[in-house]
Amino acid sequence: DFAGQQLVEQIARILLIGATIISFIVGFALQSLQVTFTIMGGATVLLALLVIPPWPMFNAHPVKWLPVKNESKDK
């Protein structure tokens, strides 16, 4: 649903921006690109585990579809 998509987008934006800032600061302090990329990789995997499965919180407002029309073949 559209509310769930908006929630996923907010979660992704917050987590990726936060992880970018944290990984840059920690990597700069330790002078290690490996630490920077490890933190970003871990955040990406965590984000994938949060938003890819069809969790019920992302489908709290399902879209109501119109019923299927039965068309006769005798036209």
Side-chain angles (χ1 to χ4, degrees), residues 22-36 38-39:
I22 291 170
S23 67
F24 177 78
I25 291 170
V26 172
F28 187 77
L30 297 176
Q31 293 292 301
S32 173
L33 278 175
Q34 183 177 4
V35 171
T36 303
T38 302
I39 293 172

Side-chain angles (χ1 to χ4, degrees), residues 46-70:
L46 175 66
L47 180 64
L49 291 174
L50 284 175
V51 299
I52 290 177
W55 300 107
M57 67 181 174
F58 298 138
N59 197 18
H61 309 285
V63 176
K64 304 289 186 216
W65 296 96
L66 294 175
V68 177
K69 286 186 179 180
N70 290 331

Side-chain angles (χ1 to χ4, degrees), residues 1-9 58-59 61-63 65:
D1 64 67
F2 298 114
Q5 290 175 359
Q6 185 178 14
L7 179 61
V8 165
E9 185 178 345
F58 298 138
N59 197 18
H61 309 285
V63 176
W65 296 96

